[in-house]
Amino acid sequence: MCLKSARSQTVLEGKASFNTTLRDLLGDDFGFADPLAAMITLEQLSTHTSGLPRLPDNMGPNPDGNPDPYAKYDREALHDFLRRVKLPGPPPHAAAYSNLGAGLLGDLLASLHGVPWERLVIDRIATPLGLTDTKVSLDASMKQRLAPPHRGDKTSTNWHFQALAGAGALRSTAADMIRFGQALIDPESTPFPEAVRLMMKPRTAFSGPNSQIGLGSIQGSSLRQPAWEHNGGTGGYP
């Protein structure tokens, strides 16, 4: 959800709006085969209502069976897919989780701010919140502390990312995640309370009548109390 907080800050700074479209960001010369794809907004990417599939069709023949499926997927491949993709209808669609949409959102925000995606997250989110162990590129100390990946009882492979880094390239620690959780519980304790509140505000239904999604934050209930979560995994870390 660090990515979504950067998205909130981008809106509050006036660099984009919730209704900014792919056409706005990629330019009039970008050749969309489907004009509906050009209408996808940043909010729809954030709430998984864009209509984009879970994964692009040009990641290889069996990305779910690939030990490192995102490693070679660069911006050229991403743009090639966006030029060809056909949507089932005009967005917004019913919410359906899309790793492609999350990764595309990260790449668009990085381009908009003119910095690599990792740098955007570190400068805008991790450093202000004191998340010193939340990065993509690990130093020697972090590599020594990284839990080895496994698939079942066998050693697996860490995933690597290019254009779709926003879908899951960050590594972190339990201590940093607790700090991040505290920031979500108490926005006023952060340097950007309005952005946190904006990120957490429910925007549409998600996988059932009792679940809603904000800018990546999924709200349900636990013991009859509101509960926010966002789970998932990458290769070797289910």
Side-chain angles (χ1 to χ4, degrees), residues 140-163:
S141 170
M142 296 175 74
K143 289 178 180 178
Q144 288 181 341
R145 292 181 284 126
L146 180 65
H150 285 81
R151 176 174 291 186
D153 59 355
K154 297 181 179 180
T155 301
S156 184
T157 305
N158 285 293
W159 283 0
H160 303 85
F161 292 80
Q162 292 193 51

Side-chain angles (χ1 to χ4, degrees), residues 149-203:
H150 285 81
R151 176 174 291 186
D153 59 355
K154 297 181 179 180
T155 301
S156 184
T157 305
N158 285 293
W159 283 0
H160 303 85
F161 292 80
Q162 292 193 51
L164 298 184
L170 282 178
R171 277 100 168 190
S172 192
T173 61
D176 270 12
M177 295 308 299
I178 289 172
R179 292 188 189 97
F180 187 68
Q182 289 171 333
L184 303 186
I185 292 171
D186 184 14
E188 297 302 324
S189 68
T190 75
F192 32 74
E194 189 174 357
V196 175
R197 288 194 295 269
L198 195 61
M199 180 184 76
M200 303 293 284
K201 179 182 177 182
R203 294 187 169 273

Side-chain angles (χ1 to χ4, degrees), residues 25 41 43 53 78 88 95 108 134 138 143 166 173 211 219-220 225 227 238:
L25 293 169
T41 68
E43 178 173 358
L78 176 59
L108 292 171
T134 300
L138 307 186
K143 289 178 180 178
T173 61
S211 180
Q219 180 180 329
Q225 297 294 321

Side-chain angles (χ1 to χ4, degrees), residues 7-48:
R7 166 77 173 89
S8 301
Q9 291 184 46
T10 298
V11 169
L12 293 173
E13 292 169 5
K15 290 184 177 293
S17 75
F18 290 121
N19 295 320
T20 295
T21 66
L22 296 191
R23 171 65 71 203
D24 297 330
L25 293 169
L26 295 175
D28 292 337
D29 294 333
F30 193 91
F32 289 96
D34 184 355
L36 297 179
M39 296 168 53
I40 293 172
T41 68
L42 292 182
E43 178 173 358
Q44 290 158 6
L45 292 176
S46 296
T47 56
H48 297 278

Side-chain angles (χ1 to χ4, degrees), residues 49 54 198:
T49 57
R54 183 176 70 92
L198 195 61

